[in-house]
Amino acid sequence: MKITKTDLLIVGAGAAGSMAAIKASDYTKDIIVLEKATHRSGGALGIGHFTSEINPLCNIPGGPTSMEFVEGYLSSSSGWSGQERPLDKYIIAEEFTPIVRELESWGLEIYKAGDGTWDNYWHKKIGERMESGCWVKGGSMKKCLMDEVERRGIKIEERTMAVDLLTNDGKVIGAVALNTRTGELTAYHAKAVVLCTGSSSRSYIVNPGKKWFYMRDMGTNSGDGRGMVYRAGGELTMMELIRTDHMNGNVMARFWGGSAVNHKGEDFLAETYKKRWSRSYAMHEEEEKGNGPLFWDSRDMPQEGHDKWEAYTSDEKNFPDVVLTETYTQKGQDRRKGRYEFESQPIGFLGGPVFNYYGATTLPGLYAAGDEIWQDSLSGAYVFARRAGIAASKYIEGQDEWTPIDEKQLKMISDTILAPSKRENGVPPQELEEKVRGIMTKYAYISKTGGMLEQGLKNIRRIREEWEGRIKADTPHDLMRWAEVRNIMEVAEVHMESSLFRTESVPYGRHFLDRKDYPPQHPTWHRQRVVVKREGGEMKVFKRRTVEQRPPTLEEYEAVKEVKP
């Protein structure tokens, strides 16, 4: 196996991976970024999901202060989840606006007001939480990152998928990656690694058949980072909390007017916000009560609102290669004359590697950012990618010697990944993926019970034992699909174990858990997170108390303001 040395290895070239590389390049030029796809199409910004607005923008004219933003956040549904780290939000409030100015200098196109300033907004009470931000041309977001990466001469290795982390004595020292066009493996020996592989979108069957990747979030995101961290012995947390989205509808009634209504025409969200339930949980419960389907009703919205909506969302994508406004045209829908149905589907989990305020995970030498960790927003991706890139670079400065590669581990990874290519007979990895996602859809969908989760776990483990040795890969692309389904299985098992362990429902926050056999929240779970790790070949699941749910002090922010390794 070829071995390539680099100071810093970054896995994933989406928003977080690109930003981590850019910021790290101020400290070291010896950087390699691995991207499973191409840099142009990698990550949520590259294909399928452009954004037309960015938030929060704080400490600017017409916007909140950092403390006002955090107080608004904690008074909302998200703050009532009992699992937040409020200092994360303060860090984002302080550090995202300067990053947006940088993005603009690199080429991000931001809509301007008549006086030439950003056309920003501050909605002090908008549904489940306060919002402040501005409108951008989403198509320019990934391009400006690509241009800056190219200007800095950062090396991107495309069509190269990291399949497992390299460790020695508990420290991460690189990764093994698969060239998805040649089928060759390369060991990247690094002094530090930053994981930015995105969310775990491909866990359920939301659109069977030829439209398996036709989903709200990135269909290529198979939980690769979470699978690698788990196998390496790192801690994962909050993996029981699911996120659903109601495509084309979930933000419309918040920003633009109109109402989110059930089939009776009732604006059910108004009552929801009084309970401080999350919007997604409330929509799910409305359907569970038999009041679906749900709609965005904008027939009473003023013409000015419709015109502004069309101007600002003309390049936002919520389907692969179809801009948001075009979806209405193709379906013959006129928002001025009729209601538009929400399409509900699960799009991933909140959880990921446990990390500190600098992006460091529980494995020395390993950092994470973006949807890899529990910061599922563009602002969180950029802010913690910046921190992770800088922290990893500072960590490298203290690594004078190269920790040697464990040759036995290298051989084990090679044998595992390449085994399907050496079998004469077998089944394609796509069949195994269908079975795993089918089990998740039947036994661990949006609503859950202990009995179903227990049976789902039995089925997952039986399928793993029976099928892993039967997978056959005819092409390098099949090897990639095999590497992906390994991670899909890990994520599925971790999610079901975490959901079974948490004996309560969590209706608050952007992500939730709906245990039908434990409907209310329970005091014994207040401020408790579920943590999962692999230890001695076995999955360990336990509780860990999180921080006090209050706005941080300025002194607390000052203590973490300077990024440390």
Side-chain angles (χ1 to χ4, degrees):
M1 186 187 303
K2 176 184 174 184
I3 297 178
T4 298
K5 282 192 171 184
T6 182
D7 274 355
L8 179 60
L9 180 67
I10 296 175
V11 183
S18 297
M19 180 61 74
I22 290 168
K23 291 303 175 181
S25 70
D26 290 334
Y27 296 81
T28 177
K29 301 303 178 186
D30 191 8
I31 302 170
I32 293 177
V33 183
L34 306 181
E35 171 52 53
K36 182 163 65 172
T38 64
H39 194 197
R40 177 187 63 81
S41 62
L45 294 179
I47 181 171
H49 183 54
F50 289 169
T51 182
S52 63
E53 52 95 19
I54 51 177
N55 63 74
L57 290 181
C58 302
N59 309 309
I60 62 172
T65 64
S66 296
M67 189 58 72
E68 285 174 325
F69 168 73
V70 174
E71 288 173 346
Y73 190 90
L74 290 176
S75 68
S76 72
S77 165
S78 298
W80 276 43
S81 69
Q83 299 190 63
E84 294 290 341
R85 265 191 345 198
L87 187 51
D88 287 343
K89 304 307 174 186
Y90 195 92
I91 290 170
I92 291 171
E94 281 287 308
E95 299 177 11
F96 184 52
T97 299
I99 288 175
V100 174
R101 293 193 178 100
E102 273 195 300
L103 291 169
E104 186 176 28
S105 73
W106 299 340
L108 175 64
E109 298 178 46
I110 301 178
Y111 285 99
K112 303 293 178 63
D115 60 1
T117 59
W118 294 344
D119 188 13
N120 59 294
Y121 58 83
W122 179 16
H123 298 301
K124 299 183 181 181
K125 189 176 182 182
I126 182 167
E128 61 185 23
R129 64 183 182 275
M130 181 181 67
E131 296 281 5
S132 64
C134 68
W135 306 101
V136 301
K137 286 189 175 294
S140 66
M141 182 77 75
K142 187 62 184 287
K143 185 177 184 304
C144 81
L145 289 169
M146 290 177 61
D147 290 346
E148 187 63 17
V149 165
E150 184 177 354
R151 279 191 289 268
R152 292 174 180 245
I154 298 168
K155 185 178 182 181
I156 308 281
E157 297 206 0
E158 300 180 328
R159 307 291 185 188
T160 305
M161 176 187 175
V163 295
D164 261 316
L165 295 170
L166 291 171
T167 60
N168 194 328
D169 196 25
K171 183 167 74 171
V172 173
I173 57 169
V176 174
L178 171 74
N179 185 303
T180 65
R181 289 298 180 264
T182 67
E184 296 175 324
L185 292 176
T186 299
Y188 291 87
H189 194 184
K191 292 182 177 179
V193 177
V194 181
L195 285 181
C196 305
T197 66
S199 61
S200 306
S201 308
R202 233 162 73 218
S203 296
Y204 297 94
I205 297 177
V206 291
N207 285 300
K210 295 181 179 179
K211 294 185 177 181
W212 264 36
F213 297 90
Y214 196 73
M215 56 183 65
R216 160 64 170 79
D217 223 18
M218 283 295 295
T220 55
N221 289 351
S222 45
D224 300 337
R226 291 164 177 82
M228 289 190 285
V229 170
Y230 175 70
R231 288 191 293 272
E235 292 182 353
L236 303 174
T237 189
M238 296 193 290
M239 288 293 293
E240 73 277 15
L241 301 180
I242 191 172
R243 182 182 177 188
T244 63
D245 213 334
H246 290 67
M247 291 170 24
N248 296 322
N250 79 338
V251 295
M252 302 314 166
R254 296 162 59 217
F255 285 117
W256 304 108
S259 304
V261 300
N262 58 27
H263 82 97
K264 303 173 185 176
E266 299 168 336
D267 182 356
F268 61 92
L269 283 185
E271 194 63 29
T272 292
Y273 294 142
K274 294 178 183 178
K275 300 177 183 176
R276 298 187 186 273
W277 283 1
S278 77
R279 185 179 65 254
S280 296
Y281 179 81
M283 291 176 173
H284 164 64
E285 283 297 294
E286 197 70 13
E287 291 173 331
E288 289 283 293
K289 289 189 292 187
N291 291 334
L294 309 179
F295 301 89
W296 175 38
D297 189 349
S298 60
R299 289 175 292 183
D300 295 333
M301 197 164 80
Q303 184 62 41
E304 180 184 1
H306 283 287
D307 293 342
K308 197 170 185 180
W309 179 87
E310 290 183 358
Y312 284 160
T313 61
S314 59
D315 62 355
E316 176 164 349
K317 288 186 177 183
N318 272 312
F319 296 89
D321 300 319
V322 181
V323 296
L324 193 57
T325 49
E326 181 65 17
T327 63
Y328 294 99
T329 302
Q330 290 186 7
K331 293 183 177 182
Q333 296 273 354
D334 187 339
R335 301 173 308 284
R336 297 168 180 82
K337 297 180 180 178
R339 304 182 301 181
Y340 194 91
E341 184 182 354
F342 297 169
E343 182 181 348
S344 175
Q345 56 179 232
I347 60 170
F349 309 115
L350 172 62
V354 172
F355 70 102
N356 67 12
Y357 293 116
Y358 313 112
T361 71
T362 55
L363 296 172
L366 182 66
Y367 298 77
D371 277 354
E372 192 74 71
I373 57 177
W374 17 283
Q375 295 292 344
D376 70 321
S377 64
L378 199 54
S379 54
Y382 281 137
V383 168
F384 281 92
R386 169 190 168 273
R387 286 181 156 248
I390 295 172
S393 301
K394 290 184 176 181
Y395 173 86
I396 289 167
E397 292 173 356
Q399 305 298 304
D400 296 328
E401 303 293 330
W402 287 85
T403 303
I405 291 177
D406 182 340
E407 295 294 333
K408 288 185 178 179
Q409 184 187 55
L410 203 62
K411 184 179 185 304
M412 183 179 68
I413 294 171
S414 175
D415 290 347
T416 299
I417 298 302
L418 297 181
S421 65
K422 299 175 181 178
R423 295 190 180 103
E424 293 186 4
N425 299 297
V427 295
Q430 291 86 337
E431 287 194 25
L432 176 56
E433 179 178 333
E434 183 177 11
K435 284 188 173 293
V436 173
R437 290 171 66 180
I439 290 169
M440 282 288 285
T441 304
K442 180 176 180 179
Y443 296 96
Y445 205 56
I446 302 174
S447 293
K448 297 175 171 68
T449 65
M452 292 294 281
L453 289 168
E454 288 174 356
Q455 187 61 40
L457 283 165
K458 289 179 183 177
N459 291 346
I460 282 282
R461 288 161 182 162
R462 175 178 57 80
I463 290 295
R464 183 196 291 270
E465 183 177 342
E466 293 177 358
W467 279 66
E468 279 192 341
R470 298 172 55 197
I471 300 302
K472 183 178 185 301
D474 294 324
T475 67
H477 184 267
D478 287 342
L479 282 177
M480 180 192 75
R481 295 295 295 269
W482 157 237
E484 288 180 329
V485 76
R486 292 175 72 222
N487 299 321
I488 293 170
M489 282 193 293
E490 305 283 23
V491 168
E493 191 171 347
V494 169
H495 174 66
M496 284 193 282
E497 279 284 13
S498 299
S499 300
L500 184 62
F501 186 73
R502 189 172 204 106
T503 51
E504 67 162 357
S505 290
V506 182
Y508 307 115
R510 296 185 68 187
H511 300 68
F512 61 89
L513 172 63
D514 183 22
R515 281 290 301 266
K516 291 301 183 187
D517 46 351
Y518 291 97
Q521 281 197 298
H522 196 277
T524 59
W525 280 100
H526 181 60
R527 290 177 54 195
Q528 299 288 340
R529 284 182 174 168
V530 176
V531 180
V532 179
K533 69 176 296 186
R534 187 179 185 182
E535 196 173 273
E538 300 290 331
M539 184 183 296
K540 305 294 184 184
V541 187
F542 52 94
K543 289 181 181 181
R544 177 176 295 152
R545 190 168 177 81
T546 189
V547 297
E548 188 178 349
Q549 302 295 284
R550 58 163 176 78
T553 65
L554 182 58
E555 290 74 20
E556 287 170 327
Y557 173 66
E558 289 295 330
V560 300
K561 183 177 180 179
E562 181 185 349
V563 177
K564 300 167 187 166

